[in-house]
Amino acid sequence: MALLFHATGWPRHVWLAELARLAPGLDVRTQERMGNLDEIEFALVWKPPAGLLEACTNLKLIISAGAGVDHLLALPGLPDVPISRVADPDLTCRMGEYVLQQALMHLRRQPELCACQKRREWGSHLAPPKAAEVTCGVMGLGVLGTHAARMLKGAGFDVAGWARSRKRIRGVRCYAGAEDLEAFLAQTDILVCLLPLTDATRGILSLPLLRRLKGNGALGGPVLINAGRGQLQRDADILAALEEGALKAASLDVFETEPLPQDSPLWDHPGVIVTPHISAISSPRAIVAYALRQIALVQAGKKAENLVDKRRGY
Ligand code: NDP
Ligand code: OXD
């Protein structure tokens, strides 16, 4: 049995070192050293090139090294084997920290205070509201969204959430499906997007949707935090929403094109906080341990965890 490892854009030596440390006897293959393809039964991958997985005809399980699987499901010729995606406390906690940090930045008017400081201006007119006066609406109540919603609630925010199916989360008003979207948006001051990218969600953060957010809240205008996927939004719509006041500010960790192109107006828009898709990085230590657990399960004749529903796309 061998494991194929490939992660586009991530420091490969760190991952290979972690695999060697945690599973010293494991036969690990890479794109450059595939060896006998029949021996490759598992693949731990992030954004593999087209054709790489297709070449491995004996695969039993593909493990996505991140939580999202859009990078796999878009591949032509993806082998028809189960896909396990990461749902791990390490990654989940990182995302919760990001969402809470950004929500607090906007609550406490930190971007405006930083701008005042740059101008040596005493911004005492920028008194922040308190968290309980602000509603955070979390789109996507999966592993990451549920944890983020709980952290926001714990910090004192009023919290609502929206998903495909109805959830029960203590202290969080839960909405479901297209029929509830209007009511969910109408009460939301800070929209947190933690949806997966699927055919149903692509481009969902459109200008018409952003115009439906609560316009008269304690922050002086709605805020968007998108840490899901860049293709959920249209960068041009975010800019248009900021220009017309449908949005007061945005924290964006993901973009239609990554890295964000040098000439994007998002870079220096005063209402935008740009982070480089690092809200919840996959830690090699945690994810390798996760992957080894999945391999052990399959080898013991059991199902891997967190299997992707390919029809739904997440
Ligand atoms: P989950 O699969 O656990 O949760 C997805 C949630 O989205 C579910 O609540 C699901 O509803 C909801 N959903 C899916 N489609 C729709 C729809 N059409 N309408 C309404 N709700 C919908 O995923 P995770 O929470 O683990 O991860 C979410 C995403 O976060 C990932 O797919 C990835 O794109 C992104 N991500 C970004 C990172 C970053 O660094 N920026 C890091 C990690 C992940 P239901 O529960 O009813 O099925
Ligand atoms: C992920 C990501 O999906 O890092 O895990 O984007």
Side-chain angles (χ1 to χ4, degrees), residues 10 46-47 64-71 85-86 91 95 144 227-229 253-254 258 277-282 287:
W10 293 355
W46 181 248
K47 298 186 181 168
S64 168
V69 289
D70 44 297
H71 68 108
R85 67 178 198 94
V86 168
L91 191 146
M95 183 59 86
L144 302 182
R229 278 291 179 270
D253 187 51
V254 289
E258 295 178 6
H277 199 143
I278 43 87
S279 53
I281 53 159
S282 290
I287 305 313

Side-chain angles (χ1 to χ4, degrees), residues 109-180:
R109 307 183 71 167
Q110 195 58 46
E112 294 156 272
L113 288 166
C114 286
C116 277
Q117 183 178 343
K118 269 211 172 114
R119 297 192 298 267
R120 295 175 176 263
E121 213 176 281
W122 192 243
S124 54
H125 59 289
L126 293 172
K130 64 176 189 196
E133 293 167 336
V134 172
T135 300
C136 294
V138 182
M139 288 184 110
L141 292 173
V143 176
L144 302 182
T146 299
H147 181 72
R150 289 194 174 121
M151 282 187 77
L152 291 165
K153 187 72 199 168
F157 285 99
D158 179 59
V159 185
W162 180 77
R164 222 162 61 110
S165 57
R166 198 166 301 278
K167 309 284 183 238
R168 285 169 69 112
I169 306 169
R170 186 193 287 266
V172 177
R173 290 184 302 287
C174 292
Y175 296 82
E179 63 278 18
D180 280 1

